[in-house]
Amino acid sequence: QKEVEQNSGPLSVPEGAIASLNCTYSDRGSQSFFWYRQYSGKSPELIMFIYSNGDKEDGRFTAQLNKASQYVSLLIRDSQPSDSATYLCAVNAGGANSKLTFGKGITLSVRP
Amino acid sequence: GAVVSQHPSWVICKSGTSVKIECRSLDFQATTMFWYRQFPKQSLMLMATSNEGSKATYEQGVEKDKFLINHASLTLSTLTVTSAHPEDSSFYICSARVAGWNTGELFFGEGSRLTVL
């Protein structure tokens, strides 16, 4: 069974700090990886996706992928209280039409 | 990004009635849509994959006769919860992929919160 595991939370960081969110996956054939943010009572919104090993930066967000170790992480620099949400890691093991497998999510709290 | 609209955003119904939820891709065509359910403080649970013009594929444990899915066009999929019961109360979220994109990301609707009395 394909699994996506995320650190048990919640994670609390002070405002301005770097938040590091980690995710591991079991299917070595996974091809694409996604990070979604979900505010309480709302639906998920896409933050970033990554396919290749290494880092991908978008503003304050950096996704890191290491296929050999089967993990993907999300770094949030200069964390803001508005970043407080649940972050979901998702993995696509197949082609573009395959379903995504989601982790359980980790709740991030940024303290002012 | 691509916009997915879901309606209604919340609904309250009596036990035993049926509820229909619509999911529309507003600015793109979606050959595949996915329906999720989320209980409080839990992660997304995939219920079914909806393919335009064909029968939906249901996940194990999801009753296809209770959760009817219709994907009649490239921009509309509907989920009907038949004979709803209080245990069906949940947050139902649809998502879609842009046809022709090979990047694989899903765009989510706003979600529909169902409360069955």
Side-chain angles (χ1 to χ4, degrees), chain A residues 9-112:
Chain A
L11 175 66
S12 180
V13 300
E15 184 174 356
I18 296 175
S20 177
L21 313 175
N22 299 321
C23 172
T24 59
Y25 57 94
S26 63
D27 188 346
R28 187 170 286 278
S30 298
Q31 300 179 6
S32 49
F33 309 85
F34 306 86
W35 282 100
Y36 286 84
R37 176 176 62 197
Q38 186 176 24
Y39 291 111
S40 180
K42 303 294 185 182
S43 65
E45 56 179 324
L46 181 66
I47 299 176
M48 293 187 69
F49 58 84
I50 185 167
Y51 306 117
S52 303
N53 277 327
D55 296 358
K56 179 181 179 183
E57 187 175 317
D58 184 0
R60 295 185 297 111
F61 299 96
T62 298
Q64 299 175 318
L65 175 61
N66 184 323
K67 290 186 177 180
S69 300
Q70 294 176 238
Y71 85 78
V72 57
S73 62
L74 180 70
L75 300 178
I76 307 174
R77 290 183 299 281
D78 188 22
S79 295
Q80 301 297 308
S82 58
D83 295 326
S84 299
T86 296
Y87 289 81
L88 301 167
C89 171
V91 175
N92 185 346
N97 291 324
S98 297
K99 59 187 180 184
L100 296 189
T101 301
F102 283 85
K104 292 185 177 181
I106 181 169
T107 299
L108 171 66
S109 176
V110 181
R111 309 186 300 271

Side-chain angles (χ1 to χ4, degrees), chain B residues 46-111:
Chain B
L46 180 64
M47 299 176 66
T49 302
S50 168
N51 295 297
E52 185 268 337
S54 63
K55 290 183 179 180
T57 303
Y58 289 82
E59 295 298 301
Q60 190 174 6
V62 177
E63 300 174 59
K64 61 181 180 181
D65 294 331
K66 179 171 182 63
F67 299 99
L68 302 180
I69 292 173
N70 183 282
H71 194 156
S73 76
L74 287 173
T75 59
L76 174 64
S77 176
T78 60
L79 167 68
T80 301
V81 183
T82 63
S83 186
H85 292 285
E87 58 265 30
D88 298 322
S89 298
S90 187
F91 191 43
Y92 292 86
I93 317 173
C94 72
S95 64
R97 280 205 177 99
V98 179
W101 283 19
N102 63 358
T103 45
E105 67 265 46
L106 295 181
F107 296 96
F108 285 86
E110 305 95 327

